[in-house]
Amino acid sequence: MTKKILLVEDETLIALDIEFAIADANCHVIGTAQTVDEGLSMLDSMPCDGVVLDANLGGHSVQPIIEHLQAKALPYIVVSGYTRDQLEFLPEEAVLIGKPFSMTELVDAIRRHLG
Amino acid sequence: MTTINAPAELPALQLLIDAMQDAVAIVAPDGTILAVNKTWRQFSVDNGGDQSSHYIGTNYFGACEGPNGASDDLAGSIAQGLRDVLNTGTDFITEYPCHTPTEKRWFEVVANPFDIDGERYALVAHRNITTRKLAQVEVAYAEQNAQNLAAIVTTMPDAVIAFDLDGQITSWNPAAETLYGYTREEAIGQSMEMLYPPDWPKRITTYIAEIIVSELKNFDVIRKTKWDELRTIAVTAAPIRSRDGDIIGISNVHRDVTVEREAEQKLRSVLDNLFAFVGILDPDGTLLEANKAPLQAAGLEAKDVIGKKFWECYWWTYNDEVAHQLQSDIARVLKGETVRYDTQVQVANGRLVWIDFQMAPMRDATGNIVNVVPSGIDISDRKAAVEKLEQSHETFKNLVDRSPFGVYTVDADFRLAHVSQGASAAFANVNPLIGHDFSDVMHTLWPDEFAEEAIARFRHTLATGEPYHAEPLVEQRLDVGEVESYDWMIERIVMPDGRLGVVCNFYDLSEREKYEQHIRLLMSEVNHRSKNLLAVVLSMARQTARNSTPSEFVELFSQRLLGLSTSQNLIVEGSWSGVSVTNLAEMQLKHLGPEILGQRIKMDGPDITVSPTAAEGIGMALHELSTNALKYGALSVPEGGVDLVWSIDQNKDAFKIQWREHDGPEVVPPTRTGFGRTVIERMAANSVDGSVDIKYATSGLVWQLKAPLEDVEQARDS
């Protein structure tokens, strides 16, 4: 069964890239959110199996989304230019892929954690 | 009682003697008083003698020799003289004193014989000679005096010279000879002008005239000796009067004061050349003397101030208070105090000069204060130096106060003495600040442990002079509760009061740390942005690769990278705050070349500024549209062109930009969604939260982006 993945990323080109990575990992993108509010509402309205998300959307931290995912125990991968120590809200067990990322690394991570 | 044989002529004689002024008696040959005259009687009445007979009928000898007579040798000698007159016919004359208790009197008794009928009688006359006698005494005294005076004059150390009203010398004592070298013989009869130096301006007659009217009593002159030496002579002059009171000459006492005057002159020239003020005041404040310096400095002459009240003199008239001060000061000096202070005096042209002023009492030999001596020294140079020093001090104080370093001093009593503005923030909770006990200050600001350590360091430096540079301090403040960090060092200094103190320089590292923190944040943000950009570039490369052959890749990717870079340049130039749409369009279409840009592309729209994100999305879309038009669209044929227009709607809430191609080759809609299509559709729309509409009309491609104006203008930070 193909896993349904929600993408939260405001940078269009990167979102496009990640969409390809999700596809390469044999998953299906059910939607792309560009803001925190959009992400939270999509999570409520569209059932999904996992989330790939940027840590910062238009200057806003995605902490509310992370908390929501932790609460629902949904698997997720954070893709960000920030290092882990700059993302204090991130739980230790969270998977962080640094930007810029290699396609192989991202596809592997999606397969392992969300697939 | 003897029988009196009065001669027949007696009555006539009685008439004769009554007319005489002297007291007269006629004495018979046996000594019996035959008759006395009126003067005798009166004298007898006046002096308490025999009132009944006035001695007529008594024997003159008995009166002289008897128990009631003038019982002394004089009476005896007068009796003997009268006997001789009667016996031998000689004259007798003698004087005798006859003093009363209140009056000194002298009488002369004269006895003259005369014969009547062969009998010898005597006429005895007593004459008051007191006046004559007194005159004789006076003359005797005068003679004695004259002799004494002559002796004094002769032995006087001062030259005593007299001259007549013509100026001819009449008297010349030995001291005059010693002084001038001329002997008495050489001088007497000469004119006083022989003593004058050549060209002496005043004639002897002028002196004489002035002495006579007493305008001149004591004066100094220069006189010349026989050896042509010039001497300074102090002259005391007085007129000489005759017994009748007429002025007949002039007396002079000459004293050689050459040495004294030279000494005085030297002293005065020393005083005059001092640029110091020295004066002498009467106890009532009248200026009696002043040296030249204050006169010259103020452009005054002695007569302008001498005789005036000191506080009314020009020097002090610039200020009423100064005058009052002087009066009360003089009163204090008269009680024995010496006053001294710095004050200002007025000199020429109303300029004020600072002086070190003093007034002291001057006492006579018995210790009484007889004068007040004011004195002053010009200290304007010193004052100027002090002012300069104060100014430079002020400058340094300003420098210290405005320094970003905190500077404060602790004095020898371990109290805060000075706190610079830069330091005052750290002491905001210390009140009062200046003079506060430093131990107390430290315990207010810091926990005990650090406070004690710092206090010990300060005390050590104060005691030994050893400077101390502390390790950077990071400690929680007791008063504000925050952790603060300081770099501090202390050194011992000499404080303005001449005692030792400690100066502490400190630098608030908390501020620096905050700044460094800020820099670190910026750095990480830049790092994030650049990583993000690299991610975009990487994505762009991957998308380009998916939709191109390896031979096309390099060209396509390079062009897209340049397009991205162009937008980035504009964003950075605008300091991340915004990019002009006009600029953005011009820059993104520049690669078409000036010919196409100038003739085949029409641009029109208001000059609005869009956010960096919008600029990135719109910029990349314009890049893709223009490269596509050049390859396949309107710009691929010579007659084709593009209209690029943008606008803001009437409600000012929507932005629209349109790319319309015309006169190009026939439009063929693309069969698949390539990278270019993704950029002009999704990326542009996402960047401004807007919508994109693409029409493949036969006349040419039309691309249109619509978005809320606020999303276009507002920076959507990523």
Side-chain angles (χ1 to χ4, degrees):
Chain A
M1 169 110 190
T2 309
K3 295 284 170 85
K4 288 177 276 190
I5 305 296
L6 178 65
L7 176 59
V8 183
E9 168 65 70
D10 61 341
E11 197 71 57
T12 312
L13 280 179
I14 295 171
L16 201 58
D17 219 17
I18 297 174
E19 281 171 22
F20 278 108
I22 292 169
D24 284 356
N26 296 317
C27 294
H28 172 59
V29 178
I30 57 155
T32 304
Q34 290 189 73
T35 65
V36 175
D37 288 344
E38 212 179 338
L40 287 172
S41 83
M42 280 186 179
L43 273 175
D44 276 345
S45 58
M46 302 178 187
C48 67
D49 303 310
V51 177
V52 177
L53 73 165
D54 189 5
N56 188 301
L57 301 172
H60 300 282
S61 160
V62 294
Q63 189 174 359
I65 300 178
I66 301 281
E67 283 166 3
H68 189 89
L69 295 173
Q70 289 286 128
K72 288 177 93 173
L74 268 178
Y76 61 93
I77 293 171
V78 177
V79 183
S80 174
Y82 289 114
T83 54
R84 190 177 281 274
D85 62 321
Q86 291 173 314
L87 300 169
E88 284 170 9
F89 59 86
L90 208 59
E92 268 181 51
E93 68 273 17
V95 180
L96 176 66
I97 303 293
K99 281 182 185 174
F101 51 85
S102 86
M103 204 47 122
T104 318
E105 183 192 12
L106 184 57
V107 172
D108 277 357
I110 294 169
R111 273 203 190 113
R112 191 174 310 137
H113 299 289
L114 307 180
Chain B
M1 184 137 215
T2 317
T3 307
I4 302 160
N5 297 314
E9 291 86 352
L10 194 59
L13 284 171
Q14 182 68 52
L15 288 172
L16 188 68
I17 61 173
D18 278 346
M20 294 173 77
Q21 293 291 309
D22 298 336
V24 177
I26 292 172
V27 180
D30 63 347
T32 304
I33 297 171
L34 292 177
V36 294
N37 69 349
K38 279 182 184 167
T39 310
W40 180 289
R41 286 193 193 95
Q42 187 59 46
F43 185 80
S44 177
V45 169
D46 291 346
N47 292 279
D50 181 358
Q51 302 289 313
S52 57
S53 64
H54 304 293
Y55 301 102
I56 293 170
T58 59
N59 191 292
Y60 207 111
F61 303 127
C64 286
E65 293 170 341
N68 298 322
S71 55
D72 55 12
D73 293 345
L74 177 68
S77 76
I78 290 173
Q80 184 56 48
L82 186 57
R83 270 196 194 93
D84 288 346
V85 171
L86 292 171
N87 294 337
T88 64
T90 56
D91 292 340
F92 170 72
I93 181 165
T94 190
E95 291 173 5
Y96 62 92
C98 183
H99 303 321
T100 71
T102 58
E103 195 184 358
K104 287 208 165 206
R105 295 186 306 191
W106 284 268
F107 285 82
E108 184 180 59
V109 58
V110 180
N112 296 113
F114 66 94
D115 292 349
I116 298 174
D117 300 333
E119 291 289 339
R120 185 172 288 150
Y121 298 84
L123 184 74
V124 180
H126 290 261
R127 181 180 298 155
N128 190 332
I129 56 163
T130 302
T131 308
R132 199 183 78 202
K133 198 71 184 170
L134 284 175
Q136 280 176 357
V137 169
E138 202 178 323
V139 168
Y141 274 134
E143 279 176 358
Q144 187 61 50
N145 276 344
Q147 281 176 12
N148 290 346
L149 273 175
I152 290 167
V153 166
T154 304
T155 56
M156 255 178 88
D158 291 334
V160 179
I161 302 166
F163 45 91
D164 62 21
L165 295 181
D166 295 326
Q168 283 201 329
I169 295 166
T170 57
S171 178
W172 188 264
N173 76 342
E177 182 177 335
T178 308
L179 175 57
Y180 291 113
Y182 297 103
T183 64
R184 190 173 178 280
E185 288 70 29
E186 285 171 324
I188 298 290
Q190 295 294 319
S191 167
M192 279 296 280
E193 291 186 5
M194 79 167 175
L195 302 174
Y196 286 15
D199 307 324
W200 187 254
K202 203 159 158 181
R203 301 303 307 272
I204 183 66
T205 46
T206 312
Y207 281 108
I208 292 168
E210 287 175 0
I211 292 163
I212 288 172
V213 297
S214 285
E215 281 173 0
L216 211 54
K217 288 174 180 163
N218 298 287
F219 52 95
D220 280 9
V221 293
I222 304 292
R223 291 294 175 250
K224 188 188 63 164
T225 68
K226 192 178 177 182
W227 314 285
D228 285 337
E229 266 185 279
L230 295 179
R231 311 297 295 174
T232 303
I233 306 294
V235 179
T236 304
I240 302 172
R241 289 172 193 274
S242 70
R243 186 167 288 270
D244 303 328
D246 296 332
I247 294 172
I248 54 169
I250 304 292
S251 73
N252 267 189
V253 177
H254 286 198
R255 172 172 290 185
D256 183 358
V257 290
T258 309
V259 175
E260 289 93 325
R261 290 294 186 267
E262 272 174 8
E264 282 172 22
Q265 195 59 43
K266 267 184 196 161
L267 185 64
R268 173 154 285 274
S269 84
V270 166
L271 284 181
D272 283 350
N273 290 321
L274 263 180
F275 197 72
F277 169 83
V278 183
I280 299 176
L281 307 183
D282 245 6
D284 71 357
T286 305
L287 183 65
L288 300 176
E289 265 284 8
N291 68 330
K292 248 189 218 165
L295 296 174
Q296 285 177 342
L300 299 172
E301 288 182 37
K303 66 177 169 57
D304 298 330
V305 288
I306 303 294
K308 271 194 179 178
K309 296 288 185 241
F310 187 47
W311 54 85
E312 288 170 1
C313 292
Y314 173 80
W315 303 298
W316 313 105
T317 54
Y318 65 93
N319 186 330
D320 283 348
E321 265 178 47
V322 176
H324 289 304
Q325 180 69 42
L326 283 174
Q327 290 187 59
S328 71
D329 290 343
I330 289 170
R332 284 169 59 198
V333 173
L334 290 172
K335 286 178 191 154
E337 277 184 62
T338 293
V339 296
R340 181 174 180 177
Y341 49 86
D342 289 355
T343 187
Q344 286 183 297
V345 290
Q346 182 173 238
V347 296
N349 304 322
R351 200 163 61 86
L352 296 180
V353 169
W354 278 101
I355 60 165
D356 174 358
F357 181 66
Q358 174 178 296
M359 284 202 289
M362 186 157 92
R363 296 170 191 272
D364 64 11
T366 59
N368 293 320
I369 295 168
V370 289
N371 286 112
V372 174
V373 180
S375 60
I377 295 171
D378 179 3
I379 53 162
S380 41
D381 287 353
R382 197 182 83 196
K383 273 279 172 187
V386 167
E387 270 171 26
K388 210 170 164 186
L389 199 65
E390 278 170 357
Q391 276 174 8
S392 108
H393 173 78
E394 201 56 34
T395 306
F396 275 108
K397 192 169 167 294
N398 281 337
L399 283 176
V400 167
D401 276 350
R402 287 166 193 179
S403 149
F405 291 87
V407 182
Y408 63 91
T409 56
V410 176
D411 65 17
D413 299 326
F414 220 59
R415 292 175 184 283
L416 268 183
H418 179 256
V419 176
S420 76
Q421 284 172 13
S424 52
F427 291 108
N429 292 318
V430 178
N431 197 21
L433 189 58
I434 303 304
H436 205 114
D437 181 76
F438 187 62
S439 303
D440 194 34
V441 171
M442 291 312 268
H443 280 293
T444 305
L445 301 185
W446 301 105
D448 282 348
E449 197 184 340
F450 173 71
E452 286 301 332
E453 187 203 329
I455 290 164
R457 293 287 184 192
F458 270 76
R459 287 202 185 280
H460 182 76
T461 296
L462 183 61
T464 63
E466 260 177 55
Y468 175 69
H469 191 157
E471 291 293 312
L473 155 79
V474 181
E475 187 76 61
Q476 180 158 26
R477 279 270 293 257
L478 204 60
D479 58 334
V480 290
E482 280 178 32
V483 173
E484 292 191 351
S485 175
Y486 292 100
D487 188 6
W488 59 284
M489 57 183 299
I490 51 177
E491 267 180 73
R492 191 170 74 179
I493 54 164
V494 177
M495 301 289 282
D497 64 0
R499 299 167 73 199
L500 296 174
V502 176
V503 61
C504 175
N505 289 277
F506 69 87
Y507 189 79
D508 186 349
L509 293 174
S510 327
E511 282 298 314
R512 198 169 78 192
E513 300 238 310
K514 276 179 203 160
Y515 181 69
E516 283 173 359
Q517 181 74 27
H518 185 62
I519 294 286
R520 277 198 295 273
L521 271 173
L522 278 178
M523 293 286 286
S524 83
E525 190 55 32
V526 166
N527 192 29
H528 169 243
R529 277 183 199 272
S530 60
K531 280 195 222 166
N532 215 48
L533 191 59
L534 282 174
V536 170
V537 169
L538 201 55
S539 298
M540 202 165 71
R542 287 183 194 125
Q543 311 298 327
T544 305
R546 283 177 203 274
N547 298 296
S548 62
T549 62
S551 58
E552 290 172 326
F553 175 77
V554 173
E555 178 61 19
L556 280 170
F557 180 64
S558 306
Q559 281 180 2
R560 282 172 180 154
L561 201 55
L562 283 173
L564 183 65
S565 156
T566 299
S567 294
Q568 285 293 322
N569 273 347
L570 290 171
I571 289 164
V572 171
E573 275 172 21
S575 303
W576 295 88
S577 63
V579 176
S580 148
V581 175
T582 315
N583 269 353
L584 183 66
E586 280 173 357
M587 294 306 288
Q588 286 296 355
L589 303 184
K590 206 175 172 183
H591 70 95
L592 299 172
E595 202 185 321
I596 293 177
L597 203 54
Q599 293 170 13
R600 299 165 66 185
I601 297 191
K602 282 184 198 159
M603 281 194 277
D604 188 31
D607 191 20
I608 69 161
T609 299
V610 299
S611 73
T613 313
E616 208 176 275
I618 295 169
M620 284 199 72
L622 290 178
H623 177 80
E624 289 301 325
L625 287 166
S626 61
T627 51
N628 198 60
L630 198 59
K631 260 188 213 163
Y632 316 109
L635 299 177
S636 65
V637 293
E639 59 276 16
V642 178
D643 292 339
L644 176 61
V645 292
W646 63 93
S647 60
I648 295 170
D649 79 339
Q650 286 179 335
N651 295 331
K652 302 210 177 196
D653 56 9
F655 171 78
K656 186 170 86 175
I657 183 166
Q658 190 184 68
W659 171 278
R660 178 188 290 273
E661 296 182 15
H662 57 83
D663 300 321
E666 195 183 337
V667 174
V668 182
T671 51
R672 60 185 180 117
T673 304
F675 176 72
R677 176 95 181 257
T678 306
V679 165
I680 64 174
E681 268 186 27
R682 269 180 73 179
M683 189 175 168
N686 287 351
S687 73
V688 290
D689 205 13
S691 60
V692 166
D693 182 37
I694 300 172
K695 283 197 176 83
Y696 298 97
T698 44
S699 55
L701 177 120
V702 178
W703 172 88
Q704 183 175 280
L705 169 69
K706 275 186 186 169
L709 186 61
E710 60 169 7
D711 289 319
V712 177
E713 286 182 325
Q714 255 178 22
R716 220 178 68 188
D717 207 356
S718 54

